[in-house]
Amino acid sequence: MPLALLALAIGAFGIGTTEFVIMGLLPEVAADFGVAIPTAGLLVTGYALGVVLGAPVMTLLGTRITRKRMLMLLMGLFVAGNALSALAPDFGLMLTGRVIASLAHGAFFGIGSVVAAGLVAPHKKAGAIAMMFTGLTVANVVGVPLGTFIGQNAGWRATFLGVAGLGVLGLLGIAKLVPEQPKAPGVRLRHELAAFRNVQVLLAMAMTVLGFGGVFAAITYISPMMTGTAGFADSSVTWLLVLFGIGMVVGNLVGGKFADRHLMPMLYVSLGALSLVLALFTLTAHHKVAAALTILLIGALGFATVPPLQKRVLDQASAAPTLASAVNIGAFNLGNALAAWLGGLVIAAGLGYTAPNWVGAVLAGSALLLALLSGALERRTPAPGRVVATGAHDPAVAAPAVRG
C-alpha cells in the first residue's frame, strides 16, 4: 500500500477523534460554559448535520480544483474549526467551530475514497479504501479514549488543540505524500449530478443509511443499556466502547479484503449477520460477558459493510464518482441521526433501554433486502462494458475480457 494512504489515514484519525470525543466530554464542556447537558448535546447534533450538508456542498465547491488540493483545503478547514472550538470564549463560538470542522468530514472521506482507490491496482481498491478508513476506526480505540482522558485531566480545550495538531499533521502528509491525480477529461458538475439518476447508486446509499443506522440505534444508548441492564459500572462504559472500536477495526479490514473479490456476497453476509446479532442483543444485554462479546460483533459487522458500500458507489458512479462518494459519507451520518431518533422514541414509549436493538435489527434487515434487490437488478440488467462488482476482480471472470 502506498505511503499516501498513511497520510489519508492520519486525517481520518483526526476526524474520527473529533467526531466522537465530544460525547465523553459533554459534562466538562457544559460546566465550563454554564449550559445544560441537553444544550451541550447540540455539539453532537450540529456536527452530524454539518457532515450531511457539508458533504455535497464542499465537494461541489471543489469540482474546479484537483482532488489533492481539495483534500488540503478540507484539512485546513478541519484545523481551523477545532482551533476555534479549543479557544472559544462562549458556547456559540464553540458550536460554530464544531460545525466548521464538520463541513470537512464528508467531503474528506468522499474525495479521499476516490483518491485512495486511484492509488492502487483495480483489484485492490476496496482494500485501499479500508486502509484510509482504518484511521477512523483506530480513532475509536485510541483517539477517543485518550482524548477523553486528556480532557478530563488537562481540560477539554487541550483535547481540541491536540486534534487540531493532528489535522496539521494530516495536512502536511497529504501535501508531501499524496500525488496529484488529474481530473477525468470532460467531467463537469452535470456529470457528477447524473450519477444520482442511477438506481444502483441510490440503492447503495439507502443501504448505507439503513445498515449503519442499525449499528447506531444500539450504540447511541449503550451507556444506559450497559449500566442499567447489564449491570456494568459507569467507568466500564469507556472500555466497552474501546471493545466496539476494536470490532470496527477488524470489520473494516475484513470488509475491505473480501469486497475486492466478492462485494455483494460480503454485503449479504455482513448485513444479515448484523441484523441477527442486533436482535440477539436484546437478550445478551442482560449478561456482562455476552453483552461485551455482542458489542464487539456489532462493531465488526457494522464496519464490515463500509468498504464494500463505499466501493459499490464508486463502481456504479465510475464516470464521475466524487460527489456520489461524498454524499454516501453523509448517508452514514444521516443513518446515525435517524437511528438515534428512532431509538429514543421506543425508549420514550416505555419499552426499555434494550428496545433500540430491535430498531437496529429492523434497519439492518431492511438494508439486507435492498442489497438483495440491488443484486437481482444487476444480474438482470448488467451494464455493458462494465465488470460486475460481485466478480469484478476474480481472475477467472476478468481474464476473458482482457484477452478479448
Side-chain angles (χ1 to χ4, degrees):
M1 290 291 181
L3 279 176
L5 291 176
L6 176 61
L8 295 175
I10 291 172
F13 180 85
I15 291 174
T17 300
T18 205
E19 179 180 16
F20 294 109
V21 76
I22 188 62
M23 299 175 186
L25 297 176
L26 279 183
E28 287 78 11
V29 174
D32 196 11
F33 288 125
V35 300
I37 290 290
T39 301
L42 292 174
L43 298 172
V44 179
T45 305
Y47 189 95
L49 293 177
V51 174
V52 174
L53 296 175
V57 172
M58 298 305 297
T59 303
L60 289 175
L61 290 176
T63 54
R64 295 185 177 276
I65 62 177
T66 65
R67 291 167 181 154
K68 174 178 178 174
R69 292 182 182 178
M70 190 58 192
L71 286 173
M72 292 172 64
L73 286 174
L74 290 170
M75 287 311 299
L77 190 65
F78 174 80
V79 171
N82 281 285
L84 178 58
S85 293
L87 303 175
D90 56 54
F91 182 77
L93 280 176
M94 168 70 170
L95 179 58
T96 300
R98 290 285 292 169
V99 173
I100 290 173
S102 73
L103 295 176
H105 183 130
F108 180 86
F109 281 107
I111 297 172
S113 294
V114 178
V115 171
L119 292 171
V120 297
H123 65 284
K124 295 182 178 179
K125 286 185 176 182
I129 294 171
M131 188 61 65
M132 181 188 70
F133 273 95
T134 297
L136 176 63
T137 58
V138 171
N140 284 272
V141 180
V142 179
V144 173
L146 181 59
T148 302
F149 177 81
I150 292 173
Q152 290 174 344
N153 290 275
W156 61 268
R157 295 179 187 274
T159 296
F160 283 96
L161 282 176
V163 172
L166 285 173
V168 172
L169 187 60
L171 172 59
L172 294 175
I174 292 170
K176 182 70 174 178
L177 299 174
V178 174
E180 291 282 3
Q181 293 181 350
K183 296 174 64 177
V187 175
R188 299 290 185 270
L189 176 58
R190 66 178 182 273
H191 298 109
E192 296 282 355
L193 293 173
F196 296 93
R197 294 200 295 266
N198 184 339
V199 68
Q200 292 286 15
V201 171
L202 298 179
L203 282 172
M205 291 180 178
M207 283 183 257
T208 297
V209 172
L210 297 174
F212 213 71
V215 174
F216 263 73
I219 295 302
T220 299
Y221 302 97
I222 196 70
S223 181
M225 191 191 312
M226 292 297 94
T227 57
T229 303
F232 280 102
D234 290 345
S235 59
S236 299
V237 174
T238 297
W239 301 109
L240 290 172
L241 290 175
V242 169
L243 195 62
F244 173 71
I246 292 172
M248 291 170 65
V249 173
V250 174
N252 177 60
L253 295 176
V254 171
K257 178 179 177 62
F258 285 96
D260 273 322
R261 288 185 176 272
H262 309 289
L263 193 151
M264 292 308 292
M266 183 67 204
L267 282 178
Y268 300 151
V269 171
S270 56
L271 288 172
L274 177 61
S275 181
L276 178 61
V277 168
L278 285 167
L280 289 174
F281 199 21
T282 58
L283 300 176
T284 61
H286 295 272
H287 308 279
K288 288 184 178 180
V289 175
L293 290 174
T294 306
I295 290 170
L296 178 69
L297 285 174
I298 291 173
L301 293 170
F303 238 83
T305 68
V306 174
L309 282 172
Q310 195 68 7
K311 184 173 182 293
R312 179 72 171 168
V313 170
L314 294 180
D315 285 346
Q316 299 298 329
S318 57
T322 309
L323 179 60
S325 176
V327 171
N328 195 50
I329 298 299
F332 282 105
N333 283 267
L334 180 60
N336 298 350
L338 173 66
W341 175 67
L342 292 174
L345 287 181
V346 296
I347 291 175
L351 299 178
Y353 285 123
T354 62
N357 299 329
W358 283 113
V359 173
V362 171
L363 290 174
S366 299
L368 173 61
L369 293 177
L370 291 181
L372 293 170
L373 173 62
S374 178
L377 290 175
E378 189 170 54
R379 287 191 295 273
R380 289 176 57 187
T381 56
R386 183 181 61 80
V387 181
V388 177
T390 51
H393 308 301
D394 188 332
V397 175
V402 173
R403 286 195 297 269

